[in-house]
Amino acid sequence: MAELSKTYDPKTVEPKWYQRWIDDHNFEADANSKKKPFSIVMPPPNITGVLTLGHVLNNSIQDILARRARMVGFEVLWLPGMDHAGIGTQTAVEKWLRKNEGVTRHDLGRETFLQRVLEWQDKHGGIIIQQLKRLGCSCDWTRQRYTMDEDYARAVAEVFVDLYEKGLIYRGRRMINWDPAAQTALSDEEVISKPQSGNLYYVRYEIVDEPGNFLEVATTRPETIMADTGVAVHPKDKRYTKLVGKDVWRPMPREKIPVVADDAIDPEFGTGILKVTPAHDKLDFEIGQRHKMAVIDVLTPDGKINCPAVPELDGLDRFDARSRAAELLDARGLLAKAEPYQNNVGFSDRSDVPVEPRLSEQWFLKYPKTKEALVVVKKHLIRFFPRHWEKVYEQWIKNIQDWCISRQVWWGHRIPAWYAKSQIPKTKPQIYVGLKPPKDPENWIQDNDTLDTWFSSWLWAYETMDLKTRKKFYPTSTLVTGPDIIFFWVARMIFAGLEFKPGKTTKTEDNIPFHDVFFTSIIRDKQGRKMSKSLGNSPDPLDLIDKYGADGLRFGLMRIAPSGQDIRFDEKQIEEGRNFATKLWNVARFRQMHGPSEAAPKLEKLSIYAIELLARLNETIDAVEKGYREYEFNTIGQRLYDFIWNDYCDWFVETAKTEIFSADESSKKSALAVMDYVLSAIVRLLHPFMPHITEELWSLLGLGDGSIQFAPLPKKIALKGVDLTKRNLVAAIYETVQAGRNLRALARVPSNQKAKFALRSKEEELSAEQGTIARLLSASELVINPSFQAGAGTPIATTALGEILLIVDVDLSAERDRLDKEIAKVEADLRIVESKLNNKSFVDRAPRDVVELNRQRQETYTEQLRLLKQAREKL
RNA sequence: GCGCGGUUAGCUCAGUGGUAGAGCACUACCUUGACACGGUAGGGGUCAGAGGUUCGAAACCUCUACCGCGCACCA
């Protein structure tokens, strides 16, 4: 047995064990195992990503679940991998190329560019995997997957072809969200609306029949006036009914456009007249369709004005054009007014620029199995933790729209669709969709677009597994993810599972992708702001690991992570995690100083303190068990922290010193055996949270054979034949000790000075505990005598055990004040209890034990009051 | 507008019907034979507000205010 060093050094211990676990293949899942399966697929981080605190939280939880499951006896698969992040990676590589080589992807061409992405990826990608290893993640790295793996990519294409053949995927010209920065279409989920302050411009449109008469139209986007092909009013709006059917002059370029009536108009907004710009607004497009209006597109893909008819604006950026358009209108007397106005604008999640609604030819998916997906969650075949996310999920599914799945980026899964070269313009194009190129490739051109990255991620729960693995481990047990991707990923994986049925049978319960979903918290900074690079408020987890150890970081974070709420991150909390690791280390060191530990200690001649400790351990095991059932990791962490620090270190170990330092070998042995038993339980309970230090202690103390990772979890000890009423005595002793210490502090006896105490108690068994109580009080002498006579002014406190007195000369008036205060407090408590007991309704209706508790309190307080008053009179 | 959370000690958060809790921070004492990343003791809260249910409400119900999030609208 190696000796424990004076301080715990995570920097050497953590990498040492991680390497050992890898070398021993401890994380590898055996698909042939007879054990029951437990599986998790890791939400794949982006290949460009670096570890954030969010990842730390997320993956710590997954690791905790995986490690716990191994100890319970499951065959565990935690399947890691990465995501190719189409838009994100392409943008990152383009940026790098521009900076380092001064070229764009168009300069290179598609094939060369993709080659460069692969090179870049090998060099700079996947850092996060190494970082996850430093955290201690017990993933099966032999099964690591990537969404661009050959097999995986083939599966994505197969799914596309399948859904196309089922008629669920179709190509169509529709209004989509266009990201002018990334120059691609986006799904609705990738658009976030943000409040923006701008102006509401009131623009004058002259009525054709009535020269000199104008309509006023309120708009936030004067730069799109050139694309107006009508104005619209509400059919019941009496102010304008006579105008419906007439024409007005579009201000620029000057052209006749019709006035139509449409129910979609809100008469209350602005002037009640809407300029209809079908090419650049979703609602306008629908109105345009209803009234057969023309569609004029005046924006280029990168968000510039394309309108040679108005040369002043042509070629300008859309935001420059906005103010310029207002100036132009004003100069022509066509701007009635402009008022400051705040509205919501859709931003691209990725590029953080306003999205343009745009009419475009794209691929869409009509979601399969939406009803079924709702049912499996409502019926709790899939359980959400916390439950309230069910409602969010339901709301989304009920309002679901077809998914725009094509992206105008090169990096990703290319759409397996080809168009006939010989097609005559304006006729329906001939489309070929298949896994292999058409037989006569010279006559076809493949679609340039790739698929939305999420269109590959939605297969992640099973396409990452080979058939044998799938048979053993699908459906997965638990998905751990952030609530921010509930639509992007969670819901879509459910659709995919139900639609493609990868399970062993066609039954629904064999095909859902997971049984439980745990939604983690979102980590914010102290001020409640989201962590972001630009704010610089996001600490680097690797720095935190260097400072506090991976175990410290994990524990600190887990203990403050309430389920389903945001976390306010404070480094102090991680420091606590580190301190806790040190505490554990030292209390183990204390044990080791008194000889080797036993892996199977015999629990004999239990002291009353040991009984209390073991009873508390049982309670802790129950609480931890319950915590896991309900995914309340902060509760588990807190319970273990309290048990170890308070029950074990502060109380038990301090009492046990009496036996350990005594000459009685058998009682010393007994105390050490209890320590071994409880330490063994502690490190096993704690192992999922703090894998490295617990493995180190398991090994150094020799608490069991082999790795702690596969040690069975501690079971509750049967305390048969043990007198549990002794717990009351222990509680009374601890209370008395605290009261005695309090007297010391009030009498200003310095901590390093021993003091004489007396205890007036009728408790018979107390003499055996005299030494321990004296130790806890740091007493030079402890007299136990029910009729101890003390001089006037002796500080006194009453407890369940009797009266504790501090034998010391003291200022009488101070002691008088103190007693008066204490008497007042006890009197107040007694009053509360008596008012209850005098209340007939309370006595009749409250549960018996509650009434009984109050009766006992009444007795105790009355007795305390009597003794205190007696003491007070003597002064 | 609809929906979901939240509001408890200076800070971060537990507490779901029976006399308000933890950690940090703060104050005092202490380097005593595991640990100063420590020990002991202490101060500090009309549990956002109002009403209701109840013998009893921080907890359950209703309303209000404020904070956060999602969806819809967003001319």
Side-chain angles (χ1 to χ4, degrees), chain A residues 749-776:
Chain A
V749 180
S751 302
N752 58 348
Q753 195 177 308
K754 299 224 169 191
K756 185 178 173 186
F757 284 91
L759 181 54
R760 286 185 193 137
S761 177
K762 289 167 192 151
E763 182 62 52
E764 286 165 10
E765 295 169 80
L766 225 44
S767 61
E769 309 306 331
Q770 188 172 18
T772 301
I773 297 172
R775 170 183 292 280
L776 294 174

Side-chain angles (χ1 to χ4, degrees), chain A residues 8 59 89 100 112 131 149 170 179 260 349 362 414 442 541 570 711 772 787 863:
Chain A
Y8 173 62
N59 288 287
T89 305
N100 292 282
T112 316
Q131 297 178 317
D149 285 345
Y170 62 93
D179 177 337
V260 301
D349 191 10
Q362 300 286 347
R414 194 162 177 181
E442 64 282 0
D570 184 347
T772 301
S787 49
E863 174 66 5

Side-chain angles (χ1 to χ4, degrees), chain A residues 75-124:
Chain A
E75 184 64 29
V76 172
L77 168 63
W78 181 14
L79 201 155
M82 282 184 296
D83 189 302
H84 67 283
I87 301 173
T89 305
Q90 172 162 315
T91 309
V93 176
E94 280 188 286
K95 204 171 151 191
W96 187 87
L97 284 172
R98 204 163 38 243
K99 197 175 149 199
N100 292 282
E101 300 179 22
V103 292
T104 69
R105 73 182 150 116
H106 299 283
D107 296 335
L108 296 174
R110 184 171 191 133
E111 243 168 74
T112 316
F113 176 73
L114 290 180
Q115 192 54 42
R116 302 303 292 275
V117 175
L118 292 175
E119 287 164 19
W120 184 92
Q121 185 173 276
D122 287 343
K123 244 172 140 177
H124 310 283

Side-chain angles (χ1 to χ4, degrees), chain A residues 277-308:
Chain A
T277 318
H280 300 299
D281 186 277
K282 210 178 164 198
L283 179 67
D284 289 15
F285 178 74
E286 286 161 16
I287 296 172
Q289 292 287 91
R290 287 198 279 273
H291 300 279
K292 301 198 167 48
M293 290 178 186
V295 178
I296 303 173
D297 188 338
V298 294
L299 283 172
T300 61
D302 60 347
K304 293 195 169 66
I305 302 294
N306 172 24
C307 183

Side-chain angles (χ1 to χ4, degrees), chain A residues 540-560:
Chain A
D540 182 350
L542 274 293
D543 291 345
L544 294 172
I545 290 176
D546 282 342
K547 264 171 101 173
Y548 305 111
D551 288 344
L553 172 61
R554 289 167 61 127
F555 191 84
L557 200 54
M558 291 317 303
R559 201 159 66 96
I560 56 155

Side-chain angles (χ1 to χ4, degrees), chain A residues 175-299:
Chain A
M175 287 302 278
I176 48 94
N177 307 293
W178 183 259
D179 177 337
Q183 297 202 34
T184 177
L186 300 174
S187 65
D188 295 342
E189 288 69 34
E190 287 164 294
V191 178
I192 319 160
S193 77
K194 295 192 201 178
Q196 290 290 299
S197 38
N199 291 304
L200 191 58
Y201 300 93
Y202 288 78
V203 183
R204 308 171 74 205
Y205 288 56
E206 190 172 22
I207 302 164
V208 173
D209 286 352
E210 306 168 25
N213 270 345
F214 292 87
L215 289 181
E216 272 184 25
V217 177
T219 179
T220 53
R221 302 202 61 187
E223 76 278 15
T224 63
I225 283 179
M226 300 82 79
D228 290 358
T229 52
V231 298
V233 298
H234 194 272
K236 287 191 183 140
D237 191 337
K238 287 187 181 131
R239 290 173 293 177
Y240 305 120
T241 34
K242 59 179 193 297
L243 291 172
V244 174
K246 296 191 174 181
D247 284 343
V248 293
W249 289 109
R250 181 174 64 203
M252 58 185 185
R254 192 172 159 90
E255 201 169 303
K256 285 183 197 174
I257 54 173
V259 179
V260 301
D262 196 287
D263 286 333
I265 308 304
D266 174 8
E268 304 291 314
F269 189 93
T271 57
I273 310 176
L274 170 74
K275 74 185 200 61
V276 184
T277 318
H280 300 299
D281 186 277
K282 210 178 164 198
L283 179 67
D284 289 15
F285 178 74
E286 286 161 16
I287 296 172
Q289 292 287 91
R290 287 198 279 273
H291 300 279
K292 301 198 167 48
M293 290 178 186
V295 178
I296 303 173
D297 188 338
V298 294
L299 283 172

Side-chain angles (χ1 to χ4, degrees), chain A residues 439-728:
Chain A
K439 288 196 177 108
D440 47 345
E442 64 282 0
N443 296 325
W444 298 84
I445 302 173
Q446 187 173 4
D447 194 315
N448 271 319
D449 294 349
T450 53
L451 291 161
D452 182 357
T453 305
W454 297 106
F455 189 87
S456 61
S457 317
W458 72 329
L459 312 178
W460 190 251
Y462 65 93
E463 275 306 336
T464 45
M465 300 180 189
D466 59 43
L467 287 179
K468 214 168 129 193
T469 307
R470 208 184 286 179
K471 202 173 166 204
K472 176 84 185 168
F473 291 105
Y474 187 89
T476 64
S477 310
T478 303
L479 178 74
V480 179
T481 191
D484 47 337
I485 55 174
I486 185 168
F487 312 138
F488 282 114
W489 199 45
V490 180
R492 287 167 179 168
M493 276 202 286
I494 297 174
F495 299 152
L498 295 174
E499 175 67 14
F500 304 120
K501 298 197 184 343
K504 16 189 182 299
T505 75
T506 55
K507 284 185 201 156
T508 303
E509 61 266 34
D510 288 329
N511 288 293
I512 51 175
F514 26 71
H515 293 111
D516 290 355
V517 183
F518 177 68
F519 290 104
T520 63
S521 322
I522 290 172
I523 302 183
R524 297 173 178 280
D525 71 3
K526 267 197 204 166
Q527 284 90 46
R529 302 171 304 181
K530 259 192 176 170
M531 295 284 183
S532 82
K533 273 187 193 163
S534 53
L535 282 171
N537 59 353
S538 173
D540 182 350
L542 274 293
D543 291 345
L544 294 172
I545 290 176
D546 282 342
K547 264 171 101 173
Y548 305 111
D551 288 344
L553 172 61
R554 289 167 61 127
F555 191 84
L557 200 54
M558 291 317 303
R559 201 159 66 96
I560 56 155
S563 41
Q565 273 179 62
D566 293 355
I567 301 177
R568 301 267 175 133
F569 180 78
D570 184 347
E571 194 170 320
K572 274 267 173 243
Q573 294 154 336
I574 307 307
E575 200 180 313
E576 281 180 44
R578 188 267 321 261
N579 293 353
F580 180 54
T582 306
K583 186 74 179 178
L584 178 65
W585 183 259
N586 276 301
V587 81
R589 206 158 71 91
F590 175 76
R591 168 63 192 87
Q592 197 210 27
M593 291 166 104
H594 299 98
S597 294
E598 301 264 353
K602 278 207 184 102
L603 298 180
E604 292 171 333
K605 287 181 66 184
L606 294 175
S607 72
I608 56 173
Y609 311 104
I611 291 172
E612 172 64 17
L613 179 71
L614 292 170
R616 293 251 184 176
L617 174 62
N618 281 352
E619 291 165 12
T620 304
I621 288 171
D622 274 344
V624 166
E625 181 67 41
K626 182 169 178 284
Y628 276 106
R629 274 203 305 275
E630 300 179 3
Y631 294 93
E632 288 178 344
F633 299 99
N634 56 336
T635 310
I636 300 169
Q638 188 59 41
R639 285 301 295 238
L640 292 174
Y641 184 96
D642 288 344
F643 177 72
I644 293 168
W645 206 303
N646 298 330
D647 297 328
Y648 186 68
C649 296
D650 288 348
W651 288 111
F652 178 74
V653 171
E654 292 309 318
T655 63
K657 281 177 180 173
T658 305
E659 281 110 52
I660 288 174
F661 295 128
S662 83
D664 180 353
E665 275 303 315
S666 77
S667 58
K668 177 176 175 179
K669 219 178 134 190
S670 164
L672 292 178
V674 172
M675 286 190 169
D676 289 341
Y677 183 86
V678 174
L679 274 174
S680 170
I682 283 172
V683 291
R684 281 178 288 155
L685 287 170
L686 207 50
H687 177 256
F689 281 65
M690 306 181 105
H692 311 90
I693 188 175
T694 50
E695 180 80 284
E696 177 79 354
L697 290 175
W698 182 257
S699 152
L700 287 178
L701 295 179
L703 294 171
D705 294 331
S707 169
I708 192 175
Q709 295 171 98
F710 302 99
L713 284 169
K715 298 219 163 50
K716 283 205 287 180
I717 185 168
L719 291 172
K720 274 182 202 153
V722 170
D723 184 1
L724 285 174
T725 61
K726 291 283 189 286
R727 295 191 68 185
N728 295 329

